[in-house]
Amino acid sequence: MKLGIVGLPNVGKSTLFNAITNAGAEIANYPFCTIDPNVGTVAVPDERLNFLAKLYDPKKNTPAVIEFVDIAGLVRGASKGEGLGNKFLSNIRLTDAVIHVVRCFDDENIIHVEGRSDPLRDIEIINLELIMADMEMVGRRIDKAKKAAKGGDKKFLHEADVLEGLLAHLNGGKGARSYPCAREDREIVEASELLSLKPVIYAVNMDEKGFTAGPAVNAYYQAVEKYAAEEGAQVLPICAKIEQELGELAPEDRALFMDELGLTESGLDRLIKCAYSLLGLISFLTAGSDEVRAWTIKKGTKAPQAAGKIHTDFERGFIRAEIVAFSGLAACGTMAAARDKGLIRSEGKDYVMQDGDVTLFRFNV
């Protein structure tokens, strides 16, 4: 999973990026990897893997991973090259979802690029820049489709019609996510990797006082929550400063600090859960003496396709999947005890994988 972090300058975007990537590496004991100055990879914290590791003492313990892409602070005109935004817009096209950091606190010591805090205005600025970048992309696709349709090809004529409708929608200041079209036309829209088509999590960045008081008393948060509900986006209350402080602490000190603040989960944990929910993702697990591992798949994935995540031969030669729910295995304590209680099932090609399935695939190629 790849998540792009966007926002105006000085909203806490880079603070949050640095905090969650460093904290994520330490929490999950996964080596932090800086691919370039704006990309960080972290492990998905998963206590189920820790249980399986104790059970099997494997050579490798491999969690699912998320790649965070920190897009440079966008400003008005970024789609036309203003600021540094245009340089990084291409990076976000390859992401699965967008984390839009919105400043929801007042602090005269932290300069706001627009003069003062106004989260809805800030959201509209970013969204408009993404829409304008999409308009340029859609315009190029329309030209390409029309050239291909010069011989009267109905497929390309229809594609041009769909895209022209989309361009008019974008020109009205509306994102591609809300473009109404037939299901079969959705594939044409999605082929463009449009920025305003990406699912969005609004990370509402509050100061420590506002965060500990709770979002219910933060008028800025309430405004963003209402806005997000209207466009089907998710909202995550967070304090980048607190996350930064947590990321700098040793695990035992972090636990004490979180307890003092009344937090049961870090911002990274909550962000990951939010992303999994937004994208409709789950994890199944494999375990053995060589490796215990978490694999991320879409909800509704059937057993053969899940096997294909491990290796294409597993899907091609799929026979069956031997599965035990993690909750059942944890209650029994060992795989042998789970087997004795009849909790290990043999599932065929039509089985829909469930979150936490501990799975052994049988195949023959």
Side-chain angles (χ1 to χ4, degrees):
M1 192 194 324
K2 182 181 288 190
L3 304 176
I5 305 179
V6 304
L8 293 174
N10 290 347
V11 297
K13 178 179 60 63
S14 293
T15 300
L16 180 62
F17 170 80
N18 291 331
I20 60 179
T21 49
N22 283 317
E26 190 170 353
I27 288 172
N29 193 30
Y30 185 86
F32 175 62
C33 173
T34 301
I35 299 170
D36 64 49
N38 300 94
V39 180
T41 302
V42 301
V44 175
D46 194 334
E47 288 298 322
R48 298 173 300 189
L49 278 184
N50 297 336
F51 175 89
L52 292 173
K54 291 178 181 177
L55 200 62
Y56 286 93
D57 190 24
K59 298 172 184 175
K60 292 175 63 180
N61 184 344
T62 308
V65 296
I66 294 180
E67 187 174 287
F68 290 95
V69 183
D70 183 22
I71 311 301
L74 299 174
V75 294
R76 291 183 190 271
S79 59
K80 301 299 182 183
E82 293 294 328
L84 295 175
N86 194 49
K87 179 180 178 182
F88 296 102
L89 283 174
S90 59
N91 291 335
I92 205 169
R93 293 195 188 280
L94 303 177
T95 62
D96 298 299
V98 171
I99 303 167
H100 187 158
V101 182
V102 187
R103 177 170 159 178
C104 287
F105 64 89
D106 297 308
D107 189 335
E108 60 184 20
N109 295 316
I110 302 176
I111 297 171
H112 194 292
V113 69
E114 290 292 323
R116 64 181 181 83
S117 294
D118 183 343
L120 295 188
R121 177 208 58 210
D122 295 353
I123 288 172
E124 292 289 355
I125 289 172
I126 297 295
N127 285 349
L128 183 58
E129 292 305 322
L130 301 184
I131 288 170
M132 290 175 69
D134 284 348
M135 289 175 65
E136 185 178 342
M137 171 72 78
V138 173
R140 290 200 299 267
R141 281 201 63 196
I142 290 172
D143 291 342
K144 185 177 179 181
K146 285 183 174 179
K147 287 179 181 177
K150 283 186 176 178
D153 191 313
K154 291 183 178 179
K155 173 187 173 183
F156 291 107
L157 286 171
H158 178 67
E159 180 177 327
D161 285 342
V162 172
L163 293 174
E164 284 180 336
L166 173 59
L167 184 60
H169 181 81
L170 294 170
N171 197 40
K174 300 175 183 177
R177 285 190 304 277
S178 62
Y179 178 53
C181 63
R183 182 178 297 179
E184 56 270 21
D185 293 338
R186 201 68 187 169
E187 293 183 7
I188 297 174
V189 175
E190 292 176 352
S192 299
E193 295 181 337
L194 300 177
L195 302 177
S196 65
L197 193 63
K198 304 287 183 185
V200 174
I201 299 170
Y202 289 108
V204 175
N205 184 25
M206 296 180 273
D207 58 15
E208 188 170 340
K209 181 181 178 181
F211 181 74
T212 53
V217 296
N218 188 305
Y220 287 153
Y221 177 90
Q222 298 299 321
V224 174
E225 186 176 49
K226 181 180 178 182
Y227 182 96
E230 292 173 353
E231 65 170 29
Q234 293 202 17
V235 181
L236 178 73
I238 203 161
C239 176
K241 186 174 184 295
I242 289 177
E243 295 305 319
Q244 182 182 42
E245 292 172 356
L246 286 172
E248 294 169 352
L249 296 174
E252 59 273 15
D253 294 329
R254 184 184 300 125
L256 288 173
F257 186 36
M258 288 177 62
D259 190 52
E260 288 177 9
L261 294 171
L263 299 176
T264 57
E265 293 180 300
S266 70
L268 174 62
D269 290 347
R270 292 186 295 113
L271 178 57
I272 288 172
K273 287 182 179 179
C274 200
Y276 268 65
S277 174
L278 181 69
L279 296 172
L281 302 175
I282 61 172
S283 293
F284 72 92
L285 313 167
T286 54
S289 58
D290 286 335
E291 182 182 37
V292 297
R293 183 163 181 169
W295 304 85
T296 302
I297 55 174
K298 283 274 190 182
K299 286 181 182 177
T301 299
K302 293 187 177 180
Q305 287 69 51
K309 284 282 290 185
I310 301 174
H311 197 286
T312 53
D313 283 349
F314 284 27
E315 180 177 359
R316 185 160 57 90
F318 179 89
I319 299 174
R320 67 180 185 276
E322 295 178 6
I323 292 174
V324 57
F326 176 80
S327 57
L329 175 60
C332 292
T334 67
M335 193 66 77
R339 191 178 299 277
D340 289 342
K341 290 192 175 183
L343 298 181
I344 299 178
R345 317 182 309 274
S346 180
E347 301 287 359
K349 294 182 177 181
D350 292 329
Y351 176 72
V352 177
M353 300 293 291
Q354 301 298 309
D355 186 54
D357 278 347
V358 182
T359 309
L360 173 65
F361 291 109
R362 302 291 185 182
F363 69 101
N364 182 32
V365 177

